Each structure stands twice: as C-alpha cells, then as structure tokens.
Amino acid sequence: MFPDGEAALEELLATPSAGLIADLAGIEGDLVVLGAGGKMGPSLCRLARRALDAGGRGDVSVYAVSRWSDPAAARSLAADGVRTVAFDLMDGDPAELPDAGNVVFMVGAKFGSAGAPEHAWAVNAALPDRIARRYPDARIAAFSTGNVYPLVAAGSGGSVETDPVGPVGEYAMSCLGRERVFAHAASTRGTRVALIRLNYAVDLRYGVLADIAAAVYAGEAVDVTTGQANVVWQGYANEVALRSLGHAAAVPFTINLTGPETASVRRLAARFGAEFGREAAVAGVESGSALLSDASRCHELFGYPDVPLRTLVAWQAEWIRRGHPLSGKATKFQVRDGKF
C-alpha cells in the first residue's frame, strides 16, 4: 500500500508490529530518545509510543530529546503522546535529562566531518561518555554505522559482526570511538549496551534509492563506481533499534542492520529508468568493492524487513512521480575515501 504523501508515510512508519508490541510490553522504566529531532527520530518515537499503548503500557513515558530547531516537529510529537524535551546535548548538564531505564542514542555528526573532524569526534565519541555516565543502570541502544567496516568485495556477501573493523576516514573512526566508549561503560560499570550498525535506511524522502531515482528522473548520470549498496526500510530499522533494548548486555550486543540484498546501483538506475520511461545514464565503472554488511543475524532475531526492496523501488519511483518532497540531503553512499 503506497504511502501517498508525508502524512501517510508517517502513519506507516509509526505502525508497530506484533513483535515490537510484545517486546515493549515487558519494558522496565521510561524510554529516552536522544537526538530525536533527526531524520529517523520522530518516527521512532511515535512507533515506540504506539507500541507501548498497544501493549497496555501507557504507564511508560517516551521522552524525545533534541534542540528542536523545528518547533512544529516537537508539537506534532507532543500531540501523539510523546513528551518532548528541548535540550542541547553538547552543552547542557546531563543531570537535567529525564530519568529512564531505557535509552536510544541517535546522535551523530557525519556531513562536514572532513572539514571539521574535531566536531565529529566531540559528538560521536566524547558525548557518549557523558550519556553513559548519566545512565549507568539503563539499557542503551546506540546507533552506529556500517562505516566501521572496510570496503569489501562486491561478491563477499558483506561484513559480519565478528569481522575485523577497518574504518576509513575521520567520520568512520569517530563512530568506532562511539562504540568503544559505550563498550567501556559496559565493561567498567555493567551498563547494558546494544550497538546497531546501520546502512542505509530508506524513508522515501531520503536514502540511497531517493538519490538514484532523483538523478534518473532529472536526467543526470548515476555514478556506479561504488557499484553496490545495502538498503533497508526505515520502519524496520526503527523497530530493530527498539527491540534491541531487550538484548542489551554488559557484553555489548552488536548487530548489523540492513536489508538482505546486495543491490546493484546500475540495475537500480535501470529499474528507475523503466519506471520513468527513459534510459538511465550512468557514469564510471564498478570498482568491485563497496561498503556492505551481512545482516543475517538481525533477520534471524527479528525477521526480514516487512517492506522488500522491489516494493521500495516502486514506492520511491511513485513518490517522485507525484512530486512528494525530498529532504535534499544526499546519503553520499558513493564516497570511498571516508571524506563526508
């Protein structure tokens, strides 16, 4: 069922599965979402609120913490029963944050990190220490990224959680720093931690598919040098993040979060060309390597994404045909040197 417009998209993203409802029904303590004003945060907060209500847990508060530079977004969440908190995580006193037994850490700095690496390290690696000290007894599910892995061969199936990390560039290194800081909290204070290595979420307003489809629709060439990519429906990604709280442990639970396919960029461009009735132009030659993750463990624990790749492609094409808004923020999945 194609979500025809932003209201319909938000409604779909906020519809919980039976598995999520069951998992959150046993939650202990309130839920704090840090960095809730980003691309995925509002929908995650709504999803959590609805799952808790459906499971009879209206007693659990969901706090959405952000600077809320867009007051309308905060008002919309408040109308849905989410308690919004205006707070600057970099400069504020963490003691002023709400008490909670569960934390989803969504804060991150990526774009611009090549020009200001010190900012990326402050946000991605230093801030987690402040948060871990504020919530030593909570379960913390922290978003990380598949960028902590090196580029791998296109036919490899992707990196698994036990493979050696090999971050390329300041952004990826600072994200590995985030993981190490939360792992330190787990080993020294017993904080229960889940680390979620995500690449790449799709929301129709942004994502790898939006990048490729928009270029094809505009008649622009699609760079295929990085010839493969992983994508996953954002609704599934948010569900996995929330359900990962139940797996958080003092020996950090680490999971790759993406779809089951290794998608060919060239074939995606051709598919969008067929959708739009034009031949897709491409540039470059496939290098033979890409940032790829194997999310088999995730799928074993939480099931396969409920919106498959073929459906996402059809939805993305229809979204653009109907003139629905795009975020204008490219994923830069083609970047190979780690400079964002």
Side-chain angles (χ1 to χ4, degrees), residues 164-216:
V165 293
V168 177
E170 296 270 3
Y171 164 70
M173 287 189 284
S174 67
C175 290
L176 181 59
R178 175 197 298 142
E179 291 193 11
R180 298 297 192 236
V181 168
F182 278 124
H184 175 72
S187 65
T188 58
R189 295 188 288 276
T191 303
R192 292 161 292 180
V193 171
L195 300 171
I196 305 159
R197 293 172 175 170
L198 170 66
N199 60 302
Y200 286 96
V202 171
D203 159 313
L204 303 186
R205 292 167 292 198
Y206 76 90
V208 171
L209 299 183
D211 294 348
I212 297 172
V216 173

mmCIF file of all heavy atoms in Angstrom, residues 164-216:
data_model
loop_
_atom_site.group_PDB
_atom_site.id
_atom_site.type_symbol
_atom_site.label_atom_id
_atom_site.label_comp_id
_atom_site.label_asym_id
_atom_site.label_seq_id
_atom_site.Cartn_x
_atom_site.Cartn_y
_atom_site.Cartn_z
ATOM 1 N N PRO A 164 36.887 -8.185 11.490
ATOM 2 C CA PRO A 164 37.664 -7.048 11.990
ATOM 3 C C PRO A 164 37.110 -5.738 11.449
ATOM 4 O O PRO A 164 36.682 -5.661 10.294
ATOM 5 C CB PRO A 164 39.075 -7.308 11.440
ATOM 6 C CG PRO A 164 39.113 -8.763 11.115
ATOM 7 C CD PRO A 164 37.719 -9.132 10.706
ATOM 8 N N VAL A 165 37.092 -4.715 12.281
ATOM 9 C CA VAL A 165 36.687 -3.397 11.812
ATOM 10 C C VAL A 165 37.846 -2.764 11.061
ATOM 11 O O VAL A 165 39.001 -3.148 11.225
ATOM 12 C CB VAL A 165 36.234 -2.493 12.980
ATOM 13 C CG1 VAL A 165 34.960 -3.030 13.603
ATOM 14 C CG2 VAL A 165 37.342 -2.377 14.034
ATOM 15 N N GLY A 166 37.533 -1.778 10.238
ATOM 16 C CA GLY A 166 38.560 -1.083 9.471
ATOM 17 C C GLY A 166 38.025 0.232 8.975
ATOM 18 O O GLY A 166 37.872 0.433 7.769
ATOM 19 N N PRO A 167 37.704 1.152 9.880
ATOM 20 C CA PRO A 167 37.082 2.419 9.479
ATOM 21 C C PRO A 167 37.992 3.249 8.578
ATOM 22 O O PRO A 167 39.196 3.346 8.815
ATOM 23 C CB PRO A 167 36.815 3.124 10.809
ATOM 24 C CG PRO A 167 37.818 2.525 11.773
ATOM 25 C CD PRO A 167 37.974 1.103 11.341
ATOM 26 N N VAL A 168 37.384 3.843 7.557
ATOM 27 C CA VAL A 168 38.118 4.702 6.622
ATOM 28 C C VAL A 168 37.655 6.137 6.831
ATOM 29 O O VAL A 168 36.480 6.457 6.639
ATOM 30 C CB VAL A 168 37.859 4.271 5.164
ATOM 31 C CG1 VAL A 168 38.567 5.210 4.196
ATOM 32 C CG2 VAL A 168 38.301 2.834 4.941
ATOM 33 N N GLY A 169 38.558 7.019 7.245
ATOM 34 C CA GLY A 169 38.224 8.425 7.409
ATOM 35 C C GLY A 169 37.825 8.785 8.829
ATOM 36 O O GLY A 169 37.516 7.924 9.661
ATOM 37 N N GLU A 170 37.815 10.087 9.098
ATOM 38 C CA GLU A 170 37.557 10.593 10.448
ATOM 39 C C GLU A 170 36.147 10.235 10.938
ATOM 40 O O GLU A 170 35.955 9.887 12.104
ATOM 41 C CB GLU A 170 37.747 12.115 10.483
ATOM 42 C CG GLU A 170 39.158 12.576 10.186
ATOM 43 C CD GLU A 170 40.020 12.692 11.431
ATOM 44 O OE1 GLU A 170 39.546 12.360 12.526
ATOM 45 O OE2 GLU A 170 41.170 13.141 11.294
ATOM 46 N N TYR A 171 35.150 10.351 10.057
ATOM 47 C CA TYR A 171 33.791 10.027 10.479
ATOM 48 C C TYR A 171 33.699 8.594 10.962
ATOM 49 O O TYR A 171 33.206 8.319 12.065
ATOM 50 C CB TYR A 171 32.811 10.263 9.336
ATOM 51 C CG TYR A 171 31.471 9.604 9.560
ATOM 52 C CD1 TYR A 171 30.601 10.080 10.542
ATOM 53 C CD2 TYR A 171 31.074 8.491 8.828
ATOM 54 C CE1 TYR A 171 29.373 9.465 10.778
ATOM 55 C CE2 TYR A 171 29.855 7.877 9.047
ATOM 56 C CZ TYR A 171 29.013 8.365 10.029
ATOM 57 O OH TYR A 171 27.812 7.745 10.262
ATOM 58 N N ALA A 172 34.157 7.664 10.139
ATOM 59 C CA ALA A 172 34.060 6.255 10.498
ATOM 60 C C ALA A 172 34.868 5.946 11.757
ATOM 61 O O ALA A 172 34.424 5.180 12.628
ATOM 62 C CB ALA A 172 34.532 5.390 9.341
ATOM 63 N N MET A 173 36.044 6.560 11.878
ATOM 64 C CA MET A 173 36.860 6.313 13.067
ATOM 65 C C MET A 173 36.177 6.846 14.321
ATOM 66 O O MET A 173 36.192 6.198 15.379
ATOM 67 C CB MET A 173 38.244 6.940 12.895
ATOM 68 C CG MET A 173 39.132 6.189 11.918
ATOM 69 S SD MET A 173 40.844 6.781 11.903
ATOM 70 C CE MET A 173 40.660 8.311 10.976
ATOM 71 N N SER A 174 35.545 8.014 14.220
ATOM 72 C CA SER A 174 34.866 8.573 15.391
ATOM 73 C C SER A 174 33.648 7.732 15.771
ATOM 74 O O SER A 174 33.297 7.639 16.951
ATOM 75 C CB SER A 174 34.461 10.028 15.141
ATOM 76 O OG SER A 174 33.457 10.139 14.157
ATOM 77 N N CYS A 175 33.006 7.100 14.786
ATOM 78 C CA CYS A 175 31.874 6.218 15.090
ATOM 79 C C CYS A 175 32.344 4.949 15.783
ATOM 80 O O CYS A 175 31.660 4.431 16.681
ATOM 81 C CB CYS A 175 31.111 5.882 13.815
ATOM 82 S SG CYS A 175 30.204 7.283 13.137
ATOM 83 N N LEU A 176 33.492 4.444 15.382
ATOM 84 C CA LEU A 176 34.068 3.327 16.120
ATOM 85 C C LEU A 176 34.415 3.780 17.535
ATOM 86 O O LEU A 176 34.244 3.021 18.499
ATOM 87 C CB LEU A 176 35.313 2.792 15.413
ATOM 88 C CG LEU A 176 35.984 1.595 16.092
ATOM 89 C CD1 LEU A 176 35.026 0.420 16.229
ATOM 90 C CD2 LEU A 176 37.239 1.186 15.316
ATOM 91 N N GLY A 177 34.866 5.036 17.680
ATOM 92 C CA GLY A 177 35.104 5.589 19.007
ATOM 93 C C GLY A 177 33.850 5.572 19.854
ATOM 94 O O GLY A 177 33.889 5.250 21.053
ATOM 95 N N ARG A 178 32.691 5.899 19.260
ATOM 96 C CA ARG A 178 31.422 5.832 19.972
ATOM 97 C C ARG A 178 31.183 4.419 20.516
ATOM 98 O O ARG A 178 30.827 4.232 21.685
ATOM 99 C CB ARG A 178 30.284 6.223 19.027
ATOM 100 C CG ARG A 178 28.898 6.074 19.651
ATOM 101 C CD ARG A 178 27.829 6.060 18.569
ATOM 102 N NE ARG A 178 27.803 7.309 17.828
ATOM 103 C CZ ARG A 178 27.590 7.414 16.524
ATOM 104 N NH1 ARG A 178 27.381 6.337 15.789
ATOM 105 N NH2 ARG A 178 27.573 8.593 15.932
ATOM 106 N N GLU A 179 31.388 3.444 19.660
ATOM 107 C CA GLU A 179 31.198 2.058 20.087
ATOM 108 C C GLU A 179 32.125 1.708 21.244
ATOM 109 O O GLU A 179 31.709 1.074 22.225
ATOM 110 C CB GLU A 179 31.450 1.109 18.919
ATOM 111 C CG GLU A 179 30.411 1.171 17.817
ATOM 112 C CD GLU A 179 30.529 -0.004 16.860
ATOM 113 O OE1 GLU A 179 31.286 -0.959 17.182
ATOM 114 O OE2 GLU A 179 29.878 0.016 15.807
ATOM 115 N N ARG A 180 33.370 2.111 21.134
ATOM 116 C CA ARG A 180 34.355 1.760 22.172
ATOM 117 C C ARG A 180 34.015 2.429 23.506
ATOM 118 O O ARG A 180 34.200 1.843 24.577
ATOM 119 C CB ARG A 180 35.754 2.166 21.721
ATOM 120 C CG ARG A 180 36.262 1.469 20.458
ATOM 121 C CD ARG A 180 36.382 -0.020 20.656
ATOM 122 N NE ARG A 180 37.113 -0.646 19.564
ATOM 123 C CZ ARG A 180 36.661 -1.640 18.818
ATOM 124 N NH1 ARG A 180 35.446 -2.131 19.033
ATOM 125 N NH2 ARG A 180 37.401 -2.149 17.842
ATOM 126 N N VAL A 181 33.511 3.651 23.454
ATOM 127 C CA VAL A 181 33.156 4.359 24.690
ATOM 128 C C VAL A 181 31.980 3.674 25.374
ATOM 129 O O VAL A 181 31.991 3.464 26.601
ATOM 130 C CB VAL A 181 32.838 5.845 24.390
ATOM 131 C CG1 VAL A 181 32.193 6.513 25.599
ATOM 132 C CG2 VAL A 181 34.117 6.581 24.000
ATOM 133 N N PHE A 182 30.962 3.298 24.619
ATOM 134 C CA PHE A 182 29.840 2.584 25.234
ATOM 135 C C PHE A 182 30.277 1.207 25.732
ATOM 136 O O PHE A 182 29.815 0.741 26.782
ATOM 137 C CB PHE A 182 28.681 2.455 24.250
ATOM 138 C CG PHE A 182 27.818 3.687 24.165
ATOM 139 C CD1 PHE A 182 27.602 4.334 22.954
ATOM 140 C CD2 PHE A 182 27.197 4.200 25.295
ATOM 141 C CE1 PHE A 182 26.803 5.467 22.869
ATOM 142 C CE2 PHE A 182 26.394 5.338 25.224
ATOM 143 C CZ PHE A 182 26.199 5.965 24.010
ATOM 144 N N ALA A 183 31.172 0.548 25.006
ATOM 145 C CA ALA A 183 31.689 -0.738 25.461
ATOM 146 C C ALA A 183 32.480 -0.580 26.756
ATOM 147 O O ALA A 183 32.446 -1.465 27.635
ATOM 148 C CB ALA A 183 32.560 -1.373 24.382
ATOM 149 N N HIS A 184 33.178 0.548 26.887
ATOM 150 C CA HIS A 184 33.914 0.817 28.129
ATOM 151 C C HIS A 184 32.942 0.959 29.301
ATOM 152 O O HIS A 184 33.189 0.437 30.394
ATOM 153 C CB HIS A 184 34.739 2.095 27.974
ATOM 154 C CG HIS A 184 35.444 2.531 29.221
ATOM 155 N ND1 HIS A 184 36.532 1.863 29.735
ATOM 156 C CD2 HIS A 184 35.197 3.566 30.075
ATOM 157 C CE1 HIS A 184 36.942 2.470 30.837
ATOM 158 N NE2 HIS A 184 36.143 3.500 31.071
ATOM 159 N N ALA A 185 31.831 1.638 29.085
ATOM 160 C CA ALA A 185 30.818 1.763 30.137
ATOM 161 C C ALA A 185 30.278 0.397 30.524
ATOM 162 O O ALA A 185 30.023 0.116 31.706
ATOM 163 C CB ALA A 185 29.683 2.666 29.671
ATOM 164 N N ALA A 186 30.119 -0.474 29.540
ATOM 165 C CA ALA A 186 29.627 -1.820 29.824
ATOM 166 C C ALA A 186 30.631 -2.608 30.648
ATOM 167 O O ALA A 186 30.263 -3.285 31.630
ATOM 168 C CB ALA A 186 29.330 -2.545 28.516
ATOM 169 N N SER A 187 31.908 -2.515 30.307
ATOM 170 C CA SER A 187 32.917 -3.322 30.986
ATOM 171 C C SER A 187 33.267 -2.782 32.365
ATOM 172 O O SER A 187 33.643 -3.548 33.265
ATOM 173 C CB SER A 187 34.187 -3.416 30.136
ATOM 174 O OG SER A 187 34.798 -2.134 29.986
ATOM 175 N N THR A 188 33.138 -1.466 32.569
ATOM 176 C CA THR A 188 33.540 -0.886 33.859
ATOM 177 C C THR A 188 32.378 -0.674 34.818
ATOM 178 O O THR A 188 32.563 -0.723 36.044
ATOM 179 C CB THR A 188 34.247 0.465 33.637
ATOM 180 O OG1 THR A 188 33.383 1.359 32.926
ATOM 181 C CG2 THR A 188 35.551 0.266 32.861
ATOM 182 N N ARG A 189 31.169 -0.419 34.288
ATOM 183 C CA ARG A 189 30.027 -0.135 35.155
ATOM 184 C C ARG A 189 28.874 -1.108 34.969
ATOM 185 O O ARG A 189 27.843 -0.978 35.630
ATOM 186 C CB ARG A 189 29.534 1.307 34.916
ATOM 187 C CG ARG A 189 30.550 2.372 35.330
ATOM 188 C CD ARG A 189 29.961 3.767 35.255
ATOM 189 N NE ARG A 189 29.760 4.226 33.885
ATOM 190 C CZ ARG A 189 30.712 4.784 33.139
ATOM 191 N NH1 ARG A 189 31.932 4.953 33.626
ATOM 192 N NH2 ARG A 189 30.442 5.177 31.898
ATOM 193 N N GLY A 190 29.034 -2.053 34.069
ATOM 194 C CA GLY A 190 27.990 -3.031 33.848
ATOM 195 C C GLY A 190 26.797 -2.507 33.072
ATOM 196 O O GLY A 190 25.730 -3.145 33.053
ATOM 197 N N THR A 191 26.941 -1.339 32.434
ATOM 198 C CA THR A 191 25.849 -0.786 31.639
ATOM 199 C C THR A 191 25.508 -1.748 30.502
ATOM 200 O O THR A 191 26.392 -2.260 29.812
ATOM 201 C CB THR A 191 26.246 0.582 31.058
ATOM 202 O OG1 THR A 191 26.613 1.448 32.128
ATOM 203 C CG2 THR A 191 25.091 1.201 30.281
ATOM 204 N N ARG A 192 24.218 -1.991 30.330
ATOM 205 C CA ARG A 192 23.774 -2.908 29.275
ATOM 206 C C ARG A 192 23.651 -2.144 27.958
ATOM 207 O O ARG A 192 22.906 -1.158 27.878
ATOM 208 C CB ARG A 192 22.450 -3.554 29.680
ATOM 209 C CG ARG A 192 22.584 -4.520 30.856
ATOM 210 C CD ARG A 192 21.267 -4.785 31.525
ATOM 211 N NE ARG A 192 20.766 -3.581 32.205
ATOM 212 C CZ ARG A 192 19.621 -3.534 32.874
ATOM 213 N NH1 ARG A 192 18.842 -4.610 32.940
ATOM 214 N NH2 ARG A 192 19.246 -2.412 33.467
ATOM 215 N N VAL A 193 24.380 -2.615 26.947
ATOM 216 C CA VAL A 193 24.556 -1.864 25.705
ATOM 217 C C VAL A 193 24.207 -2.730 24.505
ATOM 218 O O VAL A 193 24.525 -3.929 24.467
ATOM 219 C CB VAL A 193 26.009 -1.361 25.585
ATOM 220 C CG1 VAL A 193 26.283 -0.774 24.212
ATOM 221 C CG2 VAL A 193 26.317 -0.339 26.675
ATOM 222 N N ALA A 194 23.546 -2.110 23.515
ATOM 223 C CA ALA A 194 23.357 -2.694 22.190
ATOM 224 C C ALA A 194 23.912 -1.726 21.166
ATOM 225 O O ALA A 194 23.621 -0.526 21.226
ATOM 226 C CB ALA A 194 21.885 -2.977 21.918
ATOM 227 N N LEU A 195 24.719 -2.206 20.245
ATOM 228 C CA LEU A 195 25.340 -1.378 19.213
ATOM 229 C C LEU A 195 24.755 -1.785 17.860
ATOM 230 O O LEU A 195 24.832 -2.956 17.475
ATOM 231 C CB LEU A 195 26.857 -1.567 19.211
ATOM 232 C CG LEU A 195 27.564 -1.202 20.529
ATOM 233 C CD1 LEU A 195 29.024 -1.647 20.481
ATOM 234 C CD2 LEU A 195 27.455 0.287 20.804
ATOM 235 N N ILE A 196 24.180 -0.817 17.143
ATOM 236 C CA ILE A 196 23.410 -1.095 15.938
ATOM 237 C C ILE A 196 24.120 -0.482 14.738
ATOM 238 O O ILE A 196 24.109 0.736 14.549
ATOM 239 C CB ILE A 196 21.989 -0.525 16.081
ATOM 240 C CG1 ILE A 196 21.330 -1.083 17.346
ATOM 241 C CG2 ILE A 196 21.156 -0.832 14.856
ATOM 242 C CD1 ILE A 196 20.179 -0.235 17.835
ATOM 243 N N ARG A 197 24.730 -1.322 13.913
ATOM 244 C CA ARG A 197 25.492 -0.863 12.754
ATOM 245 C C ARG A 197 24.565 -0.807 11.539
ATOM 246 O O ARG A 197 24.331 -1.800 10.869
ATOM 247 C CB ARG A 197 26.677 -1.788 12.510
ATOM 248 C CG ARG A 197 27.718 -1.705 13.627
ATOM 249 C CD ARG A 197 28.802 -2.758 13.499
ATOM 250 N NE ARG A 197 29.838 -2.577 14.523
ATOM 251 C CZ ARG A 197 30.813 -3.462 14.774
ATOM 252 N NH1 ARG A 197 30.883 -4.593 14.074
ATOM 253 N NH2 ARG A 197 31.695 -3.215 15.721
ATOM 254 N N LEU A 198 24.066 0.385 11.263
ATOM 255 C CA LEU A 198 23.042 0.599 10.235
ATOM 256 C C LEU A 198 23.638 1.093 8.930
ATOM 257 O O LEU A 198 24.485 1.978 8.926
ATOM 258 C CB LEU A 198 22.032 1.636 10.745
ATOM 259 C CG LEU A 198 21.010 2.192 9.746
ATOM 260 C CD1 LEU A 198 20.051 1.097 9.297
ATOM 261 C CD2 LEU A 198 20.246 3.361 10.366
ATOM 262 N N ASN A 199 23.176 0.529 7.796
ATOM 263 C CA ASN A 199 23.383 1.115 6.473
ATOM 264 C C ASN A 199 22.434 0.427 5.475
ATOM 265 O O ASN A 199 22.400 -0.789 5.456
ATOM 266 C CB ASN A 199 24.829 0.997 6.008
ATOM 267 C CG ASN A 199 25.340 -0.439 5.905
ATOM 268 O OD1 ASN A 199 25.346 -1.199 6.870
ATOM 269 N ND2 ASN A 199 25.769 -0.838 4.733
ATOM 270 N N TYR A 200 21.745 1.176 4.683
ATOM 271 C CA TYR A 200 21.336 2.572 4.740
ATOM 272 C C TYR A 200 19.820 2.580 4.847
ATOM 273 O O TYR A 200 19.145 1.855 4.110
ATOM 274 C CB TYR A 200 21.731 3.307 3.449
ATOM 275 C CG TYR A 200 23.195 3.609 3.288
ATOM 276 C CD1 TYR A 200 24.018 2.769 2.556
ATOM 277 C CD2 TYR A 200 23.739 4.758 3.862
ATOM 278 C CE1 TYR A 200 25.361 3.062 2.378
ATOM 279 C CE2 TYR A 200 25.080 5.068 3.683
ATOM 280 C CZ TYR A 200 25.896 4.205 2.951
ATOM 281 O OH TYR A 200 27.222 4.505 2.775
ATOM 282 N N ALA A 201 19.248 3.409 5.723
ATOM 283 C CA ALA A 201 17.797 3.466 5.893
ATOM 284 C C ALA A 201 17.146 4.211 4.728
ATOM 285 O O ALA A 201 17.705 5.161 4.187
ATOM 286 C CB ALA A 201 17.446 4.143 7.216
ATOM 287 N N VAL A 202 15.947 3.756 4.360
ATOM 288 C CA VAL A 202 15.161 4.353 3.268
ATOM 289 C C VAL A 202 13.828 4.826 3.820
ATOM 290 O O VAL A 202 13.122 4.082 4.489
ATOM 291 C CB VAL A 202 14.918 3.320 2.147
ATOM 292 C CG1 VAL A 202 13.921 3.845 1.128
ATOM 293 C CG2 VAL A 202 16.233 2.946 1.472
ATOM 294 N N ASP A 203 13.488 6.078 3.520
ATOM 295 C CA ASP A 203 12.278 6.694 4.061
ATOM 296 C C ASP A 203 11.420 7.340 2.960
ATOM 297 O O ASP A 203 10.401 7.936 3.266
ATOM 298 C CB ASP A 203 12.753 7.731 5.114
ATOM 299 C CG ASP A 203 11.770 8.829 5.465
ATOM 300 O OD1 ASP A 203 11.183 9.432 4.561
ATOM 301 O OD2 ASP A 203 11.594 9.112 6.640
ATOM 302 N N LEU A 204 11.812 7.192 1.693
ATOM 303 C CA LEU A 204 11.211 7.816 0.502
ATOM 304 C C LEU A 204 11.565 9.287 0.362
ATOM 305 O O LEU A 204 11.728 9.783 -0.754
ATOM 306 C CB LEU A 204 9.685 7.640 0.459
ATOM 307 C CG LEU A 204 9.170 6.198 0.514
ATOM 308 C CD1 LEU A 204 7.653 6.178 0.312
ATOM 309 C CD2 LEU A 204 9.866 5.301 -0.480
ATOM 310 N N ARG A 205 11.698 10.015 1.481
ATOM 311 C CA ARG A 205 12.138 11.411 1.413
ATOM 312 C C ARG A 205 13.655 11.509 1.310
ATOM 313 O O ARG A 205 14.200 12.542 0.924
ATOM 314 C CB ARG A 205 11.639 12.185 2.636
ATOM 315 C CG ARG A 205 10.146 12.375 2.672
ATOM 316 C CD ARG A 205 9.646 12.845 4.008
ATOM 317 N NE ARG A 205 9.806 11.824 5.041
ATOM 318 C CZ ARG A 205 9.156 11.816 6.213
ATOM 319 N NH1 ARG A 205 8.306 12.797 6.487
ATOM 320 N NH2 ARG A 205 9.352 10.863 7.089
ATOM 321 N N TYR A 206 14.339 10.455 1.665
ATOM 322 C CA TYR A 206 15.810 10.428 1.599
ATOM 323 C C TYR A 206 16.259 8.975 1.507
ATOM 324 O O TYR A 206 15.480 8.043 1.707
ATOM 325 C CB TYR A 206 16.432 11.086 2.834
ATOM 326 C CG TYR A 206 16.371 10.223 4.069
ATOM 327 C CD1 TYR A 206 17.401 9.331 4.375
ATOM 328 C CD2 TYR A 206 15.283 10.269 4.924
ATOM 329 C CE1 TYR A 206 17.331 8.518 5.488
ATOM 330 C CE2 TYR A 206 15.219 9.471 6.049
ATOM 331 C CZ TYR A 206 16.246 8.597 6.319
ATOM 332 O OH TYR A 206 16.175 7.789 7.418
ATOM 333 N N GLY A 207 17.541 8.784 1.233
ATOM 334 C CA GLY A 207 18.115 7.448 1.190
ATOM 335 C C GLY A 207 18.759 7.160 -0.154
ATOM 336 O O GLY A 207 18.666 7.942 -1.110
ATOM 337 N N VAL A 208 19.423 6.032 -0.234
ATOM 338 C CA VAL A 208 20.116 5.629 -1.455
ATOM 339 C C VAL A 208 19.152 5.577 -2.636
ATOM 340 O O VAL A 208 19.467 6.057 -3.734
ATOM 341 C CB VAL A 208 20.798 4.257 -1.261
ATOM 342 C CG1 VAL A 208 21.336 3.730 -2.590
ATOM 343 C CG2 VAL A 208 21.927 4.352 -0.240
ATOM 344 N N LEU A 209 17.975 5.017 -2.433
ATOM 345 C CA LEU A 209 17.014 4.918 -3.536
ATOM 346 C C LEU A 209 16.546 6.289 -3.985
ATOM 347 O O LEU A 209 16.383 6.537 -5.195
ATOM 348 C CB LEU A 209 15.823 4.056 -3.122
ATOM 349 C CG LEU A 209 16.131 2.607 -2.737
ATOM 350 C CD1 LEU A 209 14.846 1.860 -2.433
ATOM 351 C CD2 LEU A 209 16.928 1.904 -3.836
ATOM 352 N N ALA A 210 16.320 7.189 -3.052
ATOM 353 C CA ALA A 210 15.927 8.554 -3.412
ATOM 354 C C ALA A 210 17.033 9.242 -4.201
ATOM 355 O O ALA A 210 16.771 9.958 -5.180
ATOM 356 C CB ALA A 210 15.584 9.354 -2.160
ATOM 357 N N ASP A 211 18.286 9.038 -3.793
ATOM 358 C CA ASP A 211 19.413 9.642 -4.508
ATOM 359 C C ASP A 211 19.455 9.177 -5.954
ATOM 360 O O ASP A 211 19.610 9.985 -6.887
ATOM 361 C CB ASP A 211 20.731 9.276 -3.817
ATOM 362 C CG ASP A 211 20.886 9.870 -2.432
ATOM 363 O OD1 ASP A 211 20.093 10.758 -2.074
ATOM 364 O OD2 ASP A 211 21.804 9.436 -1.710
ATOM 365 N N ILE A 212 19.341 7.855 -6.155
ATOM 366 C CA ILE A 212 19.436 7.306 -7.505
ATOM 367 C C ILE A 212 18.218 7.694 -8.331
ATOM 368 O O ILE A 212 18.338 8.141 -9.480
ATOM 369 C CB ILE A 212 19.590 5.775 -7.440
ATOM 370 C CG1 ILE A 212 20.897 5.401 -6.726
ATOM 371 C CG2 ILE A 212 19.559 5.172 -8.845
ATOM 372 C CD1 ILE A 212 21.048 3.921 -6.442
ATOM 373 N N ALA A 213 17.041 7.545 -7.763
ATOM 374 C CA ALA A 213 15.812 7.846 -8.501
ATOM 375 C C ALA A 213 15.738 9.307 -8.899
ATOM 376 O O ALA A 213 15.340 9.634 -10.029
ATOM 377 C CB ALA A 213 14.595 7.465 -7.657
ATOM 378 N N ALA A 214 16.104 10.217 -8.003
ATOM 379 C CA ALA A 214 16.049 11.645 -8.309
ATOM 380 C C ALA A 214 16.998 11.991 -9.445
ATOM 381 O O ALA A 214 16.672 12.818 -10.319
ATOM 382 C CB ALA A 214 16.378 12.460 -7.063
ATOM 383 N N ALA A 215 18.183 11.365 -9.453
ATOM 384 C CA ALA A 215 19.137 11.625 -10.533
ATOM 385 C C ALA A 215 18.584 11.137 -11.869
ATOM 386 O O ALA A 215 18.658 11.848 -12.883
ATOM 387 C CB ALA A 215 20.464 10.943 -10.226
ATOM 388 N N VAL A 216 18.017 9.937 -11.886
ATOM 389 C CA VAL A 216 17.457 9.396 -13.127
ATOM 390 C C VAL A 216 16.302 10.262 -13.616
ATOM 391 O O VAL A 216 16.195 10.579 -14.807
ATOM 392 C CB VAL A 216 17.004 7.938 -12.913
ATOM 393 C CG1 VAL A 216 16.255 7.418 -14.145
ATOM 394 C CG2 VAL A 216 18.199 7.038 -12.600
#
